[in-house]
Amino acid sequence: MELQGRSSKRALRNMDISFLKVMRDGKVTEISSENLVLGDIVLMEAGDLIAADGRLLECNQLACDGSSLARDSFHIMKNTDVLNGQVTLGDSFSMAFKGT
């Protein structure tokens, strides 16, 4: 029973791994999401899934699915404006969140 639980846990963990392009040491490289570290700059294109939470440094007409954060089925337009004060996750327009 325990072996089956470990096997299931490993399979779920592997399902969560995706590949993404990052800028690291001035070079663009493709890595698995499990190798993403603090300081990596993630490069995204239309249709990409967001592999980790992060602050947006630059974007052009970026919209993310807001259903997992605000229970709304519409897209949230993102920007790079600085957040002032305390804001809710749904109002963090300069942040991108995993899975959105």
Side-chain angles (χ1 to χ4, degrees), residues 39-67:
D40 281 341
I41 297 175
V42 178
L43 307 173
M44 297 184 296
E45 297 178 6
D48 286 353
L49 288 177
I50 298 173
D53 297 349
R55 181 165 309 281
L56 297 172
L57 302 176
E58 186 178 315
C59 64
N60 183 16
Q61 298 181 341
L62 175 64
C64 294
D65 179 8
S67 61

Side-chain angles (χ1 to χ4, degrees), residues 7-86:
S7 178
S8 297
K9 185 177 177 181
R10 188 177 313 113
L12 286 171
R13 190 178 318 121
N14 289 337
M15 285 176 53
D16 193 36
I17 296 172
S18 58
F19 289 88
L20 57 147
K21 292 180 185 174
V22 297
M23 175 82 68
R24 191 183 275 180
D25 299 324
K27 299 175 187 169
V28 176
T29 185
E30 189 168 321
I31 63 169
S32 70
S33 58
E34 63 184 359
N35 292 323
L36 189 64
V37 296
L38 191 62
D40 281 341
I41 297 175
V42 178
L43 307 173
M44 297 184 296
E45 297 178 6
D48 286 353
L49 288 177
I50 298 173
D53 297 349
R55 181 165 309 281
L56 297 172
L57 302 176
E58 186 178 315
C59 64
N60 183 16
Q61 298 181 341
L62 175 64
C64 294
D65 179 8
S67 61
S68 62
L69 297 176
R71 296 183 183 169
D72 294 322
S73 60
F74 57 88
H75 289 91
I76 299 172
M77 293 303 297
K78 298 293 185 169
N79 59 51
T80 57
D81 296 343
V82 176
L83 299 174
N84 292 318
Q86 191 171 353

